Amino acid sequence: MRKILTLCFAFNFVSVLFATSVAAAPQLKGGATQGGMLWGKVEPGTSVLLDGNLVDVHESGVFVIGFGRDHIASAELEYRYRGGETDSQTIAIEPREFDIERVNGLPPKTVTPPPEWTARRKIENGRVRSARAVMMPETQWVAGFLKPAEGRFSGYYGSQRILNGEPRSPHYGLDIAADVGTPIWAPAGGVVRLAASDFLLEGGIVIIDHGMGITSTLFHMNSVTVKEGARVEQGDEIGTVGAKGRANGPHVDWRVNWKNVRLDPMLVLEEGK
Ligand SMILES: [Zn+2]
């Protein structure tokens, strides 16, 4: 059986989606949009597939999925119930317009990073990847997220600059500008999977695992006051705002991932309200 969901949007954000007919099909919550996180609950024992790939399901039946910045217009969720029946939903993924800035006539410059940088980045990227690869059977994100620091939004998910016609990689964080030393709080509870004070581009960096592949990453921290493996509750102080790494002025760059899919922190923040 197949159902097409009709979604209603307000500011590119879906609060609740209802599957219309079969009782067993789950109600989904979150944002069926580029950068959105969507979660639902099935009867324990049900298998969930997204575009043909198995999705992790918590023992309570809760599962979560996410859509990247450039996700195509639809996704297919399939449910395989314990009794052998199957069901599927086509989810329309709302496309978004991101802020694109074109700058032309810049003097050409070629930057060749020193070889020791390349080696160091390899190690740092490896640590980030392993921190995000953990599958912890918890659902801390169900309680919503809070803004990790008091301050002004100064950079948004999805924005991109095109310099002399060359697209740079998009910005995947939500930047919050604040004075050096402003406390940074855990946006949601979880376990610290990475805590380091001096990454080349990120400066002080913390990755918190909120469960089921959902993580928060915080960059440019001046101080990091949590250790890897520590458990944090939502709102716990984990360090302070800085301008370390590659940053133009003090701010915290907050990122939210579903495994290696980059989500929009603003969407999960709004959902928690
Ligand atoms: Zn940023």
Side-chain angles (χ1 to χ4, degrees), residues 11 23 30 32 64 82 109 133 170 183 205 232 253 261:
F11 305 105
V64 63
R82 244 185 325 206
K109 91 177 163 186
I205 174 172
V232 291
D253 182 325
V261 179

Side-chain angles (χ1 to χ4, degrees), residues 9 30 49 140 156 176-177:
F9 288 91
L49 293 90
Q140 299 268 354
Y156 296 90
I176 305 166

Side-chain angles (χ1 to χ4, degrees), residues 171 175 251 253:
H171 185 250
D175 289 335
H251 73 282
D253 182 325

